[in-house]
């Protein structure tokens, strides 16, 4: 008889644990989804164009990396022009050590920013038009600054969920 009570108690304990784990997973997914929604909404305000009408890519290269944004539709010249305006401004801001835009978008200081600010003379940021959008090319030959660039770009890939490679690739 006692053995049956023990089994029942064990089964109930397992059932409650599974339910609690599922609720934790559901809560974690809700937090993740809520965070992405906030990043997208804040990004739209900060950048001046819709994340739904555009595509972001973050690239890691041996000498730095790139931020690329394009309008999803070639006929969407309004988004294309806003992208170019925003990324041109971003290149200037980053070169001056100002990373307010990513902080506003993500709600926190992205990894790597403090080093990029400290070593701003060691990193170059160049804007260029690309088809349907723009690109900020980031270059450095300083190993510490390079690690910070890669850390910053990997964070962007993860937080924006772009699906871009977090590995260093050829340009």
């Amino acid at each position: 008889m006692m053995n049956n009570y023990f089994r029942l108690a064990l089964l109930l304990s397992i059932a409650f644990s599974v339910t609690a784990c599922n609720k934790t997973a559901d809560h974690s997914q809700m937090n993740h989804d809520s965070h992405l929604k906030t990043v997208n909404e804040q990004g739209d305000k900060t950048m001046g164009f819709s994340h739904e009408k555009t595509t972001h890519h973050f690239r890691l290269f041996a000498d730095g990396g790139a931020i690329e944004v394009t309008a999803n539709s070639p006929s969407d010249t309004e988004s294309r022009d806003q992208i170019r305006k925003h990324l041109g401004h971003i290149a200037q801001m980053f070169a001056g050590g100002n990373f307010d835009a990513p902080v506003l978008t993500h709600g926190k200081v992205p990894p790597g920013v403090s080093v990029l600010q400290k070593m701003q003379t060691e990193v170059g940021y160049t804007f260029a038009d690309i088809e349907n959008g723009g690109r900020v090319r980031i270059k450095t030959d300083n190993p510490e600054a390079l690690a910070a660039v890669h850390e910053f770009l990997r964070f962007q890939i993860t937080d924006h969920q772009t699906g871009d490679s977090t590995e260093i690739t050829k340009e």
Side-chain angles (χ1 to χ4, degrees), residues 93 98 121 166:
M93 288 174 59
N98 181 341
T121 60
T166 57

Short mmCIF file of all heavy atoms in Angstrom, two decimals, residues 93 98 121 166:
data_model
loop_
_atom_site.label_atom_id
_atom_site.label_comp_id
_atom_site.label_asym_id
_atom_site.label_seq_id
_atom_site.Cartn_x
_atom_site.Cartn_y
_atom_site.Cartn_z
N MET A 93 28.25 58.56 -37.39
CA MET A 93 28.08 58.45 -35.93
C MET A 93 29.08 57.46 -35.34
O MET A 93 29.76 57.78 -34.35
CB MET A 93 26.65 58.01 -35.59
CG MET A 93 25.59 59.06 -35.83
SD MET A 93 23.90 58.43 -35.58
CE MET A 93 23.95 57.89 -33.88
N ASN A 98 29.80 57.39 -31.56
CA ASN A 98 28.41 57.49 -31.14
C ASN A 98 27.64 56.25 -31.58
O ASN A 98 27.40 56.06 -32.78
CB ASN A 98 27.78 58.76 -31.74
CG ASN A 98 26.33 58.95 -31.34
OD1 ASN A 98 25.66 58.02 -30.89
ND2 ASN A 98 25.85 60.18 -31.50
N THR A 121 39.64 55.65 -33.27
CA THR A 121 40.62 56.04 -34.31
C THR A 121 41.23 54.82 -35.00
O THR A 121 41.89 54.96 -36.02
CB THR A 121 41.74 56.91 -33.72
OG1 THR A 121 42.42 56.17 -32.70
CG2 THR A 121 41.18 58.21 -33.14
N THR A 166 27.77 33.59 -38.39
CA THR A 166 28.56 34.25 -37.35
C THR A 166 30.05 33.92 -37.51
O THR A 166 30.86 34.30 -36.68
CB THR A 166 28.07 33.85 -35.95
OG1 THR A 166 28.14 32.43 -35.83
CG2 THR A 166 26.65 34.32 -35.70
#
